[in-house]
Amino acid sequence: MLRDADQGKSAMTKTEANKDPDGVLPDSLSNAHVFDDRDNIMSSELEDVIVNQDSYGIRLTDTADGRNSASMLISKMYAWRGYAGTHHLGDDPNRITLTATDKGDVVGTLTLGIDSPIGLMADQVFKDELDAHRERGARLCEFTKLAFDPAVRSKISLANLFHLAVIYARDLHHCTDIVIEVNPRHRRFYQSMLGFEREGEMKTNPRVNAPAYLLRVGLDYATEQIRQHGGTFSTNTTERSFYPYFFSPREEAGIINRLLRIDEQAVA
């Protein structure tokens, strides 16, 4: 039985260790530029979720052109990390792709997968672990296809992307748990910074031909952390998690109300 990710990592080649099913590079965040003016976040046109005065925003990508731009970024970042396989984003009603844009250019993307009769991507490797949670009544979702251009990555912009995905999962699709497949070298980031817990042992993910752990976090836990710490990154000197870089509860409430209005208009 593996006691720690480092045991498995010692047997990997350098290329294998650099592969990650989700493409996030948390080890670079400590040196990233951080936007300081959170109060400048405002509503924009209907298709945008948030936009700041510097033309940075995150939007729901539901067009062919938008998915193509996101796919290009994913392929670029995954190739740089040594990924196998293709990374095209299709038009799937159970998958929600969010893109971060800077002055019109796509600089980050994350896809939220909602559990359905056809299952989640993680079922390919971790079906037994996921079924155990389904049997207890959990409504699962997964984070996949996470990629961020290292030239513009920042703690706040990445936290924005995570937080918007949390809102879509929790408030629009009523999910209870988020799961994610990660490379062993990134496991500690998700566990210590976001509160994810490991589910089972390390396995090989055939989609990228790399080792992976399944991690899970309850949305009730994430919600409480956001309530306590969201938006406090400039004043909170004791909390060491990633949650201070999320939106404040006031900002979150405004975004939820906006998204619910958009959802109602779409149904109508």
Side-chain angles (χ1 to χ4, degrees), residues 200-243:
E201 300 301 321
M202 184 177 68
K203 300 181 181 181
T204 298
N205 186 314
R207 295 193 304 276
V208 293
N209 190 29
Y213 279 109
L214 180 71
L215 305 182
R216 180 189 61 83
V217 67
L219 277 163
D220 54 350
Y221 172 84
T223 297
E224 179 59 22
Q225 297 305 302
I226 292 168
R227 186 190 68 79
Q228 291 186 32
H229 306 297
T232 65
F233 68 96
S234 62
T235 59
N236 194 331
T237 60
T238 58
E239 176 60 29
R240 301 303 180 188
S241 76
F242 206 45
Y243 286 103

Side-chain angles (χ1 to χ4, degrees), residues 227-268:
R227 186 190 68 79
Q228 291 186 32
H229 306 297
T232 65
F233 68 96
S234 62
T235 59
N236 194 331
T237 60
T238 58
E239 176 60 29
R240 301 303 180 188
S241 76
F242 206 45
Y243 286 103
Y245 295 93
F246 280 51
F247 297 111
S248 70
R250 176 180 61 82
E251 291 170 319
E252 181 190 61
I255 293 169
I256 292 170
N257 289 335
R258 175 173 172 73
L259 290 179
L260 289 174
R261 289 196 302 271
I262 292 174
D263 192 54
E264 289 173 358
Q265 291 176 13
V267 172

Side-chain angles (χ1 to χ4, degrees), residues 22-242:
D22 301 283
V24 66
L25 308 175
D27 49 322
S28 301
L29 288 173
S30 60
N31 297 320
H33 170 70
V34 175
F35 295 118
D36 291 324
D37 197 352
R38 289 290 288 272
D39 290 334
N40 287 322
I41 295 173
M42 62 188 75
S43 298
S44 183
E45 297 177 0
L46 186 63
E47 67 271 17
D48 287 332
V49 177
I50 55 170
V51 174
N52 70 11
Q53 65 178 6
D54 297 320
S55 300
Y56 170 83
I58 299 177
R59 68 178 58 189
L60 173 66
T61 300
D62 58 358
T63 66
D65 287 344
R67 287 190 295 271
N68 183 59
S69 296
S71 296
M72 289 175 63
L73 176 64
I74 294 168
S75 296
K76 172 186 173 182
M77 299 309 302
Y78 281 28
W80 179 66
R81 300 296 289 183
Y83 276 94
T86 58
H87 310 286
H88 176 71
L89 295 172
D91 184 8
D92 185 335
N94 296 312
R95 298 199 170 276
I96 299 161
T97 295
L98 299 170
T99 55
T101 58
D102 184 24
K103 296 179 176 63
D105 295 326
V106 174
V107 296
T109 183
L110 183 156
T111 294
L112 171 69
I114 307 299
D115 203 9
S116 70
I118 64 174
L120 299 171
M121 290 180 68
D123 278 302
Q124 183 178 6
V125 182
F126 296 102
K127 181 172 173 50
D128 290 344
E129 290 85 349
L130 297 179
D131 282 346
H133 290 290
R134 291 176 177 122
E135 289 173 4
R136 67 173 174 82
R139 168 76 165 155
L140 302 176
C141 63
E142 64 182 351
F143 286 178
T144 65
K145 304 293 185 183
L146 174 59
F148 229 95
D149 189 329
V152 296
R153 186 187 298 118
S154 77
K155 289 182 179 180
I156 289 181
S157 55
L158 183 58
N160 288 172
L161 205 58
F162 277 131
H163 198 159
L164 264 293
V166 165
I167 290 172
Y168 267 99
R170 182 192 62 203
D171 298 285
L172 274 72
H173 294 276
H174 312 295
C175 296
T176 61
D177 298 79
I178 303 167
V179 297
I180 187 168
E181 297 170 274
V182 300
N183 185 276
R185 71 192 298 264
H186 294 156
R187 174 170 68 91
R188 293 190 182 282
F189 168 79
Y190 287 96
Q191 289 182 308
S192 63
M193 301 298 280
L194 290 167
F196 279 81
E197 297 180 348
R198 196 180 82 181
E199 300 283 321
E201 300 301 321
M202 184 177 68
K203 300 181 181 181
T204 298
N205 186 314
R207 295 193 304 276
V208 293
N209 190 29
Y213 279 109
L214 180 71
L215 305 182
R216 180 189 61 83
V217 67
L219 277 163
D220 54 350
Y221 172 84
T223 297
E224 179 59 22
Q225 297 305 302
I226 292 168
R227 186 190 68 79
Q228 291 186 32
H229 306 297
T232 65
F233 68 96
S234 62
T235 59
N236 194 331
T237 60
T238 58
E239 176 60 29
R240 301 303 180 188
S241 76
F242 206 45

